[in-house]
Amino acid sequence: MNLSELPNVSIHHRADLRAAILAMPATQLLGLEVRGFDPGGVSRIELLVRAELSFDGRVVQGGLVGVLADYAGVSAAACTLPAGWFAATTGFEVHNVAPAAGERLVAIGRAQHVGRSLGVSRAEVYAVQGETATLVCVATTTCRPLELPRST
C-alpha cells in the first residue's frame, strides 16, 4: 500500500485529547507522535523505529506494536467524544501478521461503536519504508468513556 492511501487527520481536532496523550509518561518514553484525529472517529499515531524498541535491532517487539495499536484504537473512540472527555482501555486483542520493520510504524484507529459506557475500535499498524506501508498488525480495542473532573 502507498503511504498516501492512509486516512487524513487533523492536528486541530480534539487538541485537548492530543495534549493529554502527549503528556503521558509512557507516550514520552516510547516517543509516540500523535498526528491527529478526524471527528468521524479516526486517529493516527506514529512511532519511529529505534533499536531499543526491537528484539534484534530492526524489528519492533510485538508487544510494543500492540501498545501502539491500543493507543490508536482507544484514541479513535475518544476523539468522537466532546471536549473534556477521554477513554480508558478495558481490553485489546492484537494479531501481528508481519514483522514490524521499517523506518516508522503508523497506527490508524477507527471507532466502530462509541456509547455512554463502552467504545469499540479497530486499529491497524503499518510498517513504513519510504512511501510503502505494509500491514503488520490488526487489533480490536475496547474502552470506557469518561469525563475528566473539572477543576474548581
Side-chain angles (χ1 to χ4, degrees):
M1 162 184 292
N2 190 293
L3 185 60
S4 64
E5 295 176 57
L6 296 179
N8 291 321
V9 293
S10 169
I11 201 164
H12 302 293
H13 179 69
R14 286 302 310 269
D16 63 319
L17 176 60
R18 182 176 183 271
I21 294 169
L22 291 174
M24 293 179 187
T27 301
Q28 295 168 18
L29 177 68
L30 293 172
L32 299 181
E33 300 173 19
V34 181
R35 294 297 183 202
F37 309 105
D38 177 85
V42 177
S43 68
R44 181 172 175 160
I45 300 179
E46 300 185 10
L47 174 68
L48 183 65
V49 173
R50 304 185 318 270
E52 63 268 23
L53 301 178
S54 74
F55 64 88
D56 67 354
R58 63 179 197 83
V59 179
V60 176
Q61 195 272 341
L64 295 176
V65 175
V67 169
L68 182 59
D70 175 38
Y71 269 88
V74 172
S75 66
C79 79
T80 68
L81 302 169
W85 282 74
F86 297 87
T89 301
T90 58
F92 61 100
E93 182 176 336
V94 176
H95 299 277
N96 292 311
V97 297
E103 300 164 353
R104 63 192 157 117
L105 302 181
V106 176
I108 304 295
R110 291 182 175 87
Q112 303 297 299
H113 166 81
V114 183
R116 292 173 51 120
S117 61
L118 179 72
V120 178
S121 298
R122 173 184 169 94
E124 297 171 345
V125 179
Y126 297 87
V128 175
Q129 188 68 43
E131 290 298 311
T132 302
T134 302
L135 180 67
V136 298
C137 170
V138 176
T140 303
T141 65
T142 58
C143 61
R144 183 177 63 116
L146 54 101
E147 185 175 15
L148 290 181
R150 300 171 194 240
S151 53
T152 55

